[in-house]
Amino acid sequence: MRDNVDWRLDQWRAERPDLDPSPMGVVGRIQRASRLLDRQISDHFATHDLQLWEFDVLSTLRRSGPPYQLTAGQLVEASMVSSGAITNRIDRLVTRELVTRELDPHNRRSVLITLTERGRELVDETVVCHVDLEEKLLGGLSGTDRERLAALLRKLLVGLGDAAPGNPLL
């Protein structure tokens, strides 16, 4: 079984036999898989009148537990976007009445973002379909393959400096 990346690697081997292009195979496959997955997932969210980033913000609030509320700073940390980008995203979600924004009564310099009932219903409905889609997208991998791939990708991400919000790497 060969993929598009194999074809590219063969070309490099023919043109530059002095190079070992195998790292390009790993990175290229991760990038290509990411693009293919993003396209399918984005198409899926569009059927729910959502964009990927909207689902990301709404699901981050939903996962936070009652009262489904985080500061704008916590959302920035969880989403890995700039504070300017999160402000723009929150503005758009407020307009759609999926979240509310208010000053933190305990810290007037902080803004609280809260998932509305409408936002919670939308994310709850969408996440079920999202998990079903991801199950289909991974259908070519056995359970063992998925666990091994997840472990290897986790190792790669940690090596690249990724860490869970609030848990910096030591």
PDB file of all heavy atoms in Angstrom, residues 10-34:
ATOM      1  N   ASP A  10       9.939   9.102  -3.278  1.00  0.00           N
ATOM      2  CA  ASP A  10      10.622   8.448  -4.403  1.00  0.00           C
ATOM      3  C   ASP A  10      11.269   9.485  -5.312  1.00  0.00           C
ATOM      4  O   ASP A  10      12.394   9.287  -5.795  1.00  0.00           O
ATOM      5  CB  ASP A  10       9.643   7.596  -5.211  1.00  0.00           C
ATOM      6  CG  ASP A  10       9.193   6.343  -4.482  1.00  0.00           C
ATOM      7  OD1 ASP A  10       9.835   5.977  -3.465  1.00  0.00           O
ATOM      8  OD2 ASP A  10       8.194   5.733  -4.935  1.00  0.00           O
ATOM      9  N   GLN A  11      10.579  10.585  -5.549  1.00  0.00           N
ATOM     10  CA  GLN A  11      11.142  11.645  -6.378  1.00  0.00           C
ATOM     11  C   GLN A  11      12.403  12.227  -5.746  1.00  0.00           C
ATOM     12  O   GLN A  11      13.402  12.448  -6.423  1.00  0.00           O
ATOM     13  CB  GLN A  11      10.109  12.748  -6.602  1.00  0.00           C
ATOM     14  CG  GLN A  11       8.986  12.343  -7.530  1.00  0.00           C
ATOM     15  CD  GLN A  11       7.974  13.460  -7.689  1.00  0.00           C
ATOM     16  OE1 GLN A  11       7.608  14.135  -6.726  1.00  0.00           O
ATOM     17  NE2 GLN A  11       7.519  13.648  -8.923  1.00  0.00           N
ATOM     18  N   TRP A  12      12.358  12.473  -4.430  1.00  0.00           N
ATOM     19  CA  TRP A  12      13.535  13.007  -3.751  1.00  0.00           C
ATOM     20  C   TRP A  12      14.691  12.011  -3.782  1.00  0.00           C
ATOM     21  O   TRP A  12      15.847  12.399  -3.999  1.00  0.00           O
ATOM     22  CB  TRP A  12      13.217  13.395  -2.297  1.00  0.00           C
ATOM     23  CG  TRP A  12      12.601  14.751  -2.182  1.00  0.00           C
ATOM     24  CD1 TRP A  12      11.363  15.056  -1.727  1.00  0.00           C
ATOM     25  CD2 TRP A  12      13.198  15.987  -2.554  1.00  0.00           C
ATOM     26  NE1 TRP A  12      11.144  16.414  -1.794  1.00  0.00           N
ATOM     27  CE2 TRP A  12      12.268  17.010  -2.299  1.00  0.00           C
ATOM     28  CE3 TRP A  12      14.434  16.352  -3.083  1.00  0.00           C
ATOM     29  CZ2 TRP A  12      12.531  18.356  -2.548  1.00  0.00           C
ATOM     30  CZ3 TRP A  12      14.696  17.694  -3.328  1.00  0.00           C
ATOM     31  CH2 TRP A  12      13.753  18.673  -3.064  1.00  0.00           C
ATOM     32  N   ARG A  13      14.386  10.757  -3.586  1.00  0.00           N
ATOM     33  CA  ARG A  13      15.447   9.737  -3.622  1.00  0.00           C
ATOM     34  C   ARG A  13      16.105   9.675  -5.001  1.00  0.00           C
ATOM     35  O   ARG A  13      17.320   9.478  -5.114  1.00  0.00           O
ATOM     36  CB  ARG A  13      14.880   8.385  -3.224  1.00  0.00           C
ATOM     37  CG  ARG A  13      14.590   8.270  -1.748  1.00  0.00           C
ATOM     38  CD  ARG A  13      14.115   6.854  -1.350  1.00  0.00           C
ATOM     39  NE  ARG A  13      13.722   6.833   0.043  1.00  0.00           N
ATOM     40  CZ  ARG A  13      12.454   6.800   0.461  1.00  0.00           C
ATOM     41  NH1 ARG A  13      11.455   6.726  -0.404  1.00  0.00           N
ATOM     42  NH2 ARG A  13      12.184   6.803   1.749  1.00  0.00           N
ATOM     43  N   ALA A  14      15.298   9.833  -6.050  1.00  0.00           N
ATOM     44  CA  ALA A  14      15.840   9.805  -7.411  1.00  0.00           C
ATOM     45  C   ALA A  14      16.684  11.049  -7.690  1.00  0.00           C
ATOM     46  O   ALA A  14      17.743  10.966  -8.319  1.00  0.00           O
ATOM     47  CB  ALA A  14      14.715   9.692  -8.433  1.00  0.00           C
ATOM     48  N   GLU A  15      16.205  12.199  -7.249  1.00  0.00           N
ATOM     49  CA  GLU A  15      16.885  13.461  -7.552  1.00  0.00           C
ATOM     50  C   GLU A  15      18.039  13.779  -6.602  1.00  0.00           C
ATOM     51  O   GLU A  15      18.979  14.447  -6.986  1.00  0.00           O
ATOM     52  CB  GLU A  15      15.874  14.615  -7.538  1.00  0.00           C
ATOM     53  CG  GLU A  15      14.863  14.560  -8.663  1.00  0.00           C
ATOM     54  CD  GLU A  15      15.531  14.601 -10.029  1.00  0.00           C
ATOM     55  OE1 GLU A  15      16.443  15.439 -10.232  1.00  0.00           O
ATOM     56  OE2 GLU A  15      15.141  13.795 -10.895  1.00  0.00           O
ATOM     57  N   ARG A  16      17.913  13.323  -5.365  1.00  0.00           N
ATOM     58  CA  ARG A  16      18.956  13.603  -4.366  1.00  0.00           C
ATOM     59  C   ARG A  16      19.266  12.336  -3.577  1.00  0.00           C
ATOM     60  O   ARG A  16      18.906  12.204  -2.403  1.00  0.00           O
ATOM     61  CB  ARG A  16      18.479  14.702  -3.404  1.00  0.00           C
ATOM     62  CG  ARG A  16      18.361  16.097  -3.978  1.00  0.00           C
ATOM     63  CD  ARG A  16      19.710  16.727  -4.360  1.00  0.00           C
ATOM     64  NE  ARG A  16      20.705  16.692  -3.303  1.00  0.00           N
ATOM     65  CZ  ARG A  16      20.888  17.661  -2.398  1.00  0.00           C
ATOM     66  NH1 ARG A  16      20.156  18.739  -2.449  1.00  0.00           N
ATOM     67  NH2 ARG A  16      21.822  17.538  -1.485  1.00  0.00           N
ATOM     68  N   PRO A  17      19.941  11.371  -4.213  1.00  0.00           N
ATOM     69  CA  PRO A  17      20.244  10.111  -3.522  1.00  0.00           C
ATOM     70  C   PRO A  17      21.169  10.295  -2.315  1.00  0.00           C
ATOM     71  O   PRO A  17      21.288   9.391  -1.484  1.00  0.00           O
ATOM     72  CB  PRO A  17      20.895   9.249  -4.611  1.00  0.00           C
ATOM     73  CG  PRO A  17      21.276  10.167  -5.701  1.00  0.00           C
ATOM     74  CD  PRO A  17      20.423  11.387  -5.581  1.00  0.00           C
ATOM     75  N   ASP A  18      21.762  11.463  -2.201  1.00  0.00           N
ATOM     76  CA  ASP A  18      22.645  11.750  -1.066  1.00  0.00           C
ATOM     77  C   ASP A  18      21.869  12.113   0.202  1.00  0.00           C
ATOM     78  O   ASP A  18      22.444  12.177   1.282  1.00  0.00           O
ATOM     79  CB  ASP A  18      23.603  12.887  -1.426  1.00  0.00           C
ATOM     80  CG  ASP A  18      22.878  14.164  -1.831  1.00  0.00           C
ATOM     81  OD1 ASP A  18      21.945  14.068  -2.675  1.00  0.00           O
ATOM     82  OD2 ASP A  18      23.220  15.241  -1.305  1.00  0.00           O
ATOM     83  N   LEU A  19      20.563  12.341   0.075  1.00  0.00           N
ATOM     84  CA  LEU A  19      19.730  12.721   1.221  1.00  0.00           C
ATOM     85  C   LEU A  19      18.849  11.555   1.657  1.00  0.00           C
ATOM     86  O   LEU A  19      18.386  10.777   0.832  1.00  0.00           O
ATOM     87  CB  LEU A  19      18.813  13.894   0.861  1.00  0.00           C
ATOM     88  CG  LEU A  19      19.458  15.248   0.609  1.00  0.00           C
ATOM     89  CD1 LEU A  19      18.392  16.257   0.215  1.00  0.00           C
ATOM     90  CD2 LEU A  19      20.202  15.717   1.842  1.00  0.00           C
ATOM     91  N   ASP A  20      18.584  11.505   2.952  1.00  0.00           N
ATOM     92  CA  ASP A  20      17.590  10.554   3.480  1.00  0.00           C
ATOM     93  C   ASP A  20      16.317  11.345   3.744  1.00  0.00           C
ATOM     94  O   ASP A  20      16.234  12.086   4.727  1.00  0.00           O
ATOM     95  CB  ASP A  20      18.089   9.915   4.770  1.00  0.00           C
ATOM     96  CG  ASP A  20      17.035   9.059   5.445  1.00  0.00           C
ATOM     97  OD1 ASP A  20      16.003   8.728   4.802  1.00  0.00           O
ATOM     98  OD2 ASP A  20      17.229   8.715   6.629  1.00  0.00           O
ATOM     99  N   PRO A  21      15.314  11.211   2.866  1.00  0.00           N
ATOM    100  CA  PRO A  21      14.096  12.008   3.028  1.00  0.00           C
ATOM    101  C   PRO A  21      13.083  11.406   4.015  1.00  0.00           C
ATOM    102  O   PRO A  21      11.960  11.903   4.109  1.00  0.00           O
ATOM    103  CB  PRO A  21      13.524  12.026   1.606  1.00  0.00           C
ATOM    104  CG  PRO A  21      13.921  10.705   1.043  1.00  0.00           C
ATOM    105  CD  PRO A  21      15.290  10.413   1.637  1.00  0.00           C
ATOM    106  N   SER A  22      13.471  10.390   4.769  1.00  0.00           N
ATOM    107  CA  SER A  22      12.490   9.732   5.644  1.00  0.00           C
ATOM    108  C   SER A  22      11.838  10.680   6.660  1.00  0.00           C
ATOM    109  O   SER A  22      10.647  10.517   6.937  1.00  0.00           O
ATOM    110  CB  SER A  22      13.102   8.516   6.341  1.00  0.00           C
ATOM    111  OG  SER A  22      14.209   8.876   7.127  1.00  0.00           O
ATOM    112  N   PRO A  23      12.542  11.695   7.222  1.00  0.00           N
ATOM    113  CA  PRO A  23      11.827  12.631   8.102  1.00  0.00           C
ATOM    114  C   PRO A  23      10.685  13.344   7.377  1.00  0.00           C
ATOM    115  O   PRO A  23       9.643  13.624   7.969  1.00  0.00           O
ATOM    116  CB  PRO A  23      12.905  13.617   8.556  1.00  0.00           C
ATOM    117  CG  PRO A  23      14.189  12.866   8.423  1.00  0.00           C
ATOM    118  CD  PRO A  23      13.993  11.970   7.215  1.00  0.00           C
ATOM    119  N   MET A  24      10.889  13.617   6.078  1.00  0.00           N
ATOM    120  CA  MET A  24       9.827  14.256   5.301  1.00  0.00           C
ATOM    121  C   MET A  24       8.603  13.345   5.214  1.00  0.00           C
ATOM    122  O   MET A  24       7.477  13.830   5.112  1.00  0.00           O
ATOM    123  CB  MET A  24      10.322  14.577   3.885  1.00  0.00           C
ATOM    124  CG  MET A  24      11.445  15.592   3.842  1.00  0.00           C
ATOM    125  SD  MET A  24      12.183  15.620   2.192  1.00  0.00           S
ATOM    126  CE  MET A  24      11.430  17.087   1.556  1.00  0.00           C
ATOM    127  N   GLY A  25       8.831  12.042   5.249  1.00  0.00           N
ATOM    128  CA  GLY A  25       7.721  11.096   5.200  1.00  0.00           C
ATOM    129  C   GLY A  25       6.845  11.192   6.428  1.00  0.00           C
ATOM    130  O   GLY A  25       5.608  11.180   6.333  1.00  0.00           O
ATOM    131  N   VAL A  26       7.470  11.308   7.593  1.00  0.00           N
ATOM    132  CA  VAL A  26       6.700  11.396   8.836  1.00  0.00           C
ATOM    133  C   VAL A  26       5.966  12.737   8.916  1.00  0.00           C
ATOM    134  O   VAL A  26       4.741  12.783   9.092  1.00  0.00           O
ATOM    135  CB  VAL A  26       7.618  11.209  10.072  1.00  0.00           C
ATOM    136  CG1 VAL A  26       6.841  11.434  11.362  1.00  0.00           C
ATOM    137  CG2 VAL A  26       8.261   9.826  10.052  1.00  0.00           C
ATOM    138  N   VAL A  27       6.699  13.827   8.766  1.00  0.00           N
ATOM    139  CA  VAL A  27       6.099  15.155   8.875  1.00  0.00           C
ATOM    140  C   VAL A  27       5.077  15.374   7.760  1.00  0.00           C
ATOM    141  O   VAL A  27       3.974  15.887   7.992  1.00  0.00           O
ATOM    142  CB  VAL A  27       7.185  16.259   8.874  1.00  0.00           C
ATOM    143  CG1 VAL A  27       6.563  17.645   8.832  1.00  0.00           C
ATOM    144  CG2 VAL A  27       8.089  16.109  10.094  1.00  0.00           C
ATOM    145  N   GLY A  28       5.416  14.953   6.558  1.00  0.00           N
ATOM    146  CA  GLY A  28       4.494  15.115   5.439  1.00  0.00           C
ATOM    147  C   GLY A  28       3.188  14.368   5.658  1.00  0.00           C
ATOM    148  O   GLY A  28       2.112  14.875   5.329  1.00  0.00           O
ATOM    149  N   ARG A  29       3.270  13.166   6.215  1.00  0.00           N
ATOM    150  CA  ARG A  29       2.047  12.403   6.477  1.00  0.00           C
ATOM    151  C   ARG A  29       1.209  13.049   7.577  1.00  0.00           C
ATOM    152  O   ARG A  29      -0.021  13.071   7.491  1.00  0.00           O
ATOM    153  CB  ARG A  29       2.383  10.960   6.823  1.00  0.00           C
ATOM    154  CG  ARG A  29       2.770  10.145   5.618  1.00  0.00           C
ATOM    155  CD  ARG A  29       3.009   8.666   5.934  1.00  0.00           C
ATOM    156  NE  ARG A  29       3.287   7.963   4.704  1.00  0.00           N
ATOM    157  CZ  ARG A  29       4.525   7.763   4.215  1.00  0.00           C
ATOM    158  NH1 ARG A  29       5.590   8.200   4.887  1.00  0.00           N
ATOM    159  NH2 ARG A  29       4.692   7.126   3.080  1.00  0.00           N
ATOM    160  N   ILE A  30       1.861  13.582   8.594  1.00  0.00           N
ATOM    161  CA  ILE A  30       1.115  14.265   9.658  1.00  0.00           C
ATOM    162  C   ILE A  30       0.417  15.493   9.082  1.00  0.00           C
ATOM    163  O   ILE A  30      -0.767  15.723   9.332  1.00  0.00           O
ATOM    164  CB  ILE A  30       2.040  14.637  10.836  1.00  0.00           C
ATOM    165  CG1 ILE A  30       2.506  13.364  11.560  1.00  0.00           C
ATOM    166  CG2 ILE A  30       1.339  15.586  11.809  1.00  0.00           C
ATOM    167  CD1 ILE A  30       3.609  13.600  12.571  1.00  0.00           C
ATOM    168  N   GLN A  31       1.143  16.276   8.293  1.00  0.00           N
ATOM    169  CA  GLN A  31       0.548  17.476   7.701  1.00  0.00           C
ATOM    170  C   GLN A  31      -0.583  17.119   6.744  1.00  0.00           C
ATOM    171  O   GLN A  31      -1.637  17.747   6.758  1.00  0.00           O
ATOM    172  CB  GLN A  31       1.609  18.287   6.964  1.00  0.00           C
ATOM    173  CG  GLN A  31       2.598  18.950   7.888  1.00  0.00           C
ATOM    174  CD  GLN A  31       3.717  19.635   7.126  1.00  0.00           C
ATOM    175  OE1 GLN A  31       4.156  19.179   6.065  1.00  0.00           O
ATOM    176  NE2 GLN A  31       4.192  20.738   7.674  1.00  0.00           N
ATOM    177  N   ARG A  32      -0.365  16.119   5.924  1.00  0.00           N
ATOM    178  CA  ARG A  32      -1.390  15.718   4.949  1.00  0.00           C
ATOM    179  C   ARG A  32      -2.620  15.166   5.660  1.00  0.00           C
ATOM    180  O   ARG A  32      -3.758  15.497   5.308  1.00  0.00           O
ATOM    181  CB  ARG A  32      -0.791  14.687   3.991  1.00  0.00           C
ATOM    182  CG  ARG A  32      -1.629  14.418   2.793  1.00  0.00           C
ATOM    183  CD  ARG A  32      -0.788  13.799   1.684  1.00  0.00           C
ATOM    184  NE  ARG A  32      -1.612  13.417   0.573  1.00  0.00           N
ATOM    185  CZ  ARG A  32      -2.065  14.244  -0.347  1.00  0.00           C
ATOM    186  NH1 ARG A  32      -1.766  15.524  -0.277  1.00  0.00           N
ATOM    187  NH2 ARG A  32      -2.822  13.814  -1.332  1.00  0.00           N
ATOM    188  N   ALA A  33      -2.404  14.330   6.675  1.00  0.00           N
ATOM    189  CA  ALA A  33      -3.530  13.794   7.443  1.00  0.00           C
ATOM    190  C   ALA A  33      -4.292  14.934   8.116  1.00  0.00           C
ATOM    191  O   ALA A  33      -5.526  14.942   8.129  1.00  0.00           O
ATOM    192  CB  ALA A  33      -3.042  12.783   8.478  1.00  0.00           C
ATOM    193  N   SER A  34      -3.578  15.900   8.649  1.00  0.00           N
ATOM    194  CA  SER A  34      -4.225  17.043   9.297  1.00  0.00           C
ATOM    195  C   SER A  34      -5.123  17.789   8.319  1.00  0.00           C
ATOM    196  O   SER A  34      -6.269  18.123   8.643  1.00  0.00           O
ATOM    197  CB  SER A  34      -3.166  17.984   9.866  1.00  0.00           C
ATOM    198  OG  SER A  34      -3.760  19.136  10.418  1.00  0.00           O
TER     199      SER A  34
END
